[in-house]
C-alpha cells in the first residue's frame, strides 16, 4: 500500500472465537502507516484486531498472489493503526535480528538526512542492500537495464565490511550521540 510500511509477522498465538488462546505457527503481512513507529526485528506485539484472509485474484489469468504467499506460510494480512496493537516489552534476539536492526537504524538515519525519498531509497539500496525504500519506477529501471545485481552485490559487500568494522568499534561504551558518531565513522571507513 502507498505511504505504508509492510512487515511480515510470525503469528505464535491466536485468540479463538470462544476466548481461548491457541498456539499456532504461521505468518501474516502487516501494513503500518508511515506515521507509526517502526518495530525492531524480533519485537513481540499483541494485535487487537482480526486478521483478514488474503483474497484470491478474480482474474483467472493473473499471477496468483495468494498461492505465492501460501508457499511462504503467509495466510493473512492486517492494516494496523497505533491503537490496534500493543508493543510487549520483550524481544527475541539472534545474530540475524541484530544485523537487520543495525541495517534498519542506518536506513532511518539515511531517510532522516535526505529530503527526497528517491535519493534515500537509492542510497539505502546501494550502501545497505535495502531495496524496500526504492520506488517502483527506480526498481523497474534497474531491472530493465539489467543492473539489479549491482544493488544486491554492493549492499552485501558493504554489509559484511560494516559488520566487521562494527565489531571492532562497536565494543566501545558510548551514549546515544556517541553511537551516532560511531555509525558515521564506520560509514566513512566504508
Amino acid at each position: 500500500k502507498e505511504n505504508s510500511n509492510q512487515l511480515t509477522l510470525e503469528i505464535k498465538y491466536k485468540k479463538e472465537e470462544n476466548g481461548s488462546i491457541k498456539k499456532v505457527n504461521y505468518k501474516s503481512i502487516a501494513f503500518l502507516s508511515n506515521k507509526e513507529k517502526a518495530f525492531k526485528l524480533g519485537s513481540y506485539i499483541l494485535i487487537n484486531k482480526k486478521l483478514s484472509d488474503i483474497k484470491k485474484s478474480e482474474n483467472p489469468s493473473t499471477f496468483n498472489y495468494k498461492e505465492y504467499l501460501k508457499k511462504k506460510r503467509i495466510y493473512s494480512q492486517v492494516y494496523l493503526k497505533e491503537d490496534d496493537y500493543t508493543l510487549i516489552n520483550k524481544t527475541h534476539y539472534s545474530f540475524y535480528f541484530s544485523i537487520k536492526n543495525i541495517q534498519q537504524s542506518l536506513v532511518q538515519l539515511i531517510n532522516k538526512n535526505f529530503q527526497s525519498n528517491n535519493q534515500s531509497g537509492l542510497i539505502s539500496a546501494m550502501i545497505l542492500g535495502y531495496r524496500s525504500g526504492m520506488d517502483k519506477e527506480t526498481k523497474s529501471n534497474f531491472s530493465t537495464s539489467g543492473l539489479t545485481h549491482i544493488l544486491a552485490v554492493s549492499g552485501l559487500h558493504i554489509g559484511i565490511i560494516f559488520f566487521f568494522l562494527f565489531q571492532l568499534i562497536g565494543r566501545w561504551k558510548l551514549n546515544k550521540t556517541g553511537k551516532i558518531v560511531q555509525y558515521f565513522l564506520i560509514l566513512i571507513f566504508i
Side-chain angles (χ1 to χ4, degrees):
K1 296 292 177 187
E2 207 61 37
N3 296 324
S4 66
N5 294 315
Q6 180 178 326
L7 307 170
T8 302
L9 306 175
E10 288 187 35
I11 308 298
K12 299 291 185 184
Y13 297 95
K14 178 182 177 185
K15 188 174 185 179
E16 297 291 324
E17 297 288 326
N18 63 9
S20 66
I21 305 295
K22 178 181 176 185
K23 189 170 185 165
V24 295
N25 187 17
Y26 63 91
K27 297 178 184 174
S28 180
I29 295 175
F31 296 96
L32 292 170
S33 74
N34 287 335
K35 296 182 286 186
E36 301 296 328
K37 303 176 274 198
F39 301 121
K40 285 192 170 195
L41 289 172
S43 295
Y44 286 84
I45 62 170
L46 177 64
I47 298 174
N48 308 316
K49 189 174 184 181
K50 188 171 173 31
L51 304 178
S52 305
D53 290 335
I54 296 171
K55 300 202 181 339
K56 186 176 179 181
S57 174
E58 299 294 323
N59 188 345
S61 63
T62 61
F63 175 70
N64 192 337
Y65 186 60
K66 182 176 181 172
E67 282 300 313
Y68 167 75
L69 291 177
K70 186 177 176 184
K71 289 177 184 174
K72 294 180 166 209
R73 292 183 25 250
I74 299 173
Y75 301 106
S76 59
Q77 63 186 1
V78 64
Y79 299 90
L80 297 175
K81 294 183 214 142
E82 191 170 2
D83 54 343
D84 292 333
Y85 64 89
T86 305
L87 184 60
I88 299 172
N89 199 10
K90 181 180 175 186
T91 307
H92 173 77
Y93 290 103
S94 72
F95 178 73
Y96 173 77
F97 287 154
S98 298
I99 296 298
K100 293 303 270 182
N101 280 324
I102 291 168
Q103 180 191 43
Q104 193 176 43
S105 297
L106 289 172
V107 167
Q108 289 173 352
L109 193 63
I110 289 169
N111 289 342
K112 188 190 296 184
N113 289 300
F114 288 90
Q115 306 256 327
S116 166
N117 287 342
N118 291 342
Q119 289 175 340
S120 63
L122 184 59
I123 290 168
S124 294
M126 296 202 67
I127 293 176
L128 303 170
Y130 182 80
R131 294 186 296 202
S132 296
M134 291 176 62
D135 63 22
K136 289 180 183 178
E137 183 181 351
T138 305
K139 282 182 187 176
S140 176
N141 290 342
F142 269 91
S143 181
T144 304
S145 61
L147 297 175
T148 308
H149 66 283
I150 291 174
L151 300 176
V153 172
S154 65
L156 172 68
H157 288 101
I158 289 175
I160 292 169
I161 293 167
F162 175 80
F163 170 73
F164 286 112
L165 286 173
F166 188 78
Q167 288 299 315
L168 289 173
I169 299 174
R171 302 203 187 279
W172 300 342
K173 303 284 185 219
L174 300 171
N175 61 16
K176 189 174 183 176
T177 307
K179 287 190 183 267
I180 292 171
V181 170
Q182 175 187 14
Y183 289 136
F184 278 122
L185 284 174
I186 290 172
L187 284 175
I188 290 169
F189 286 131
I190 292 175

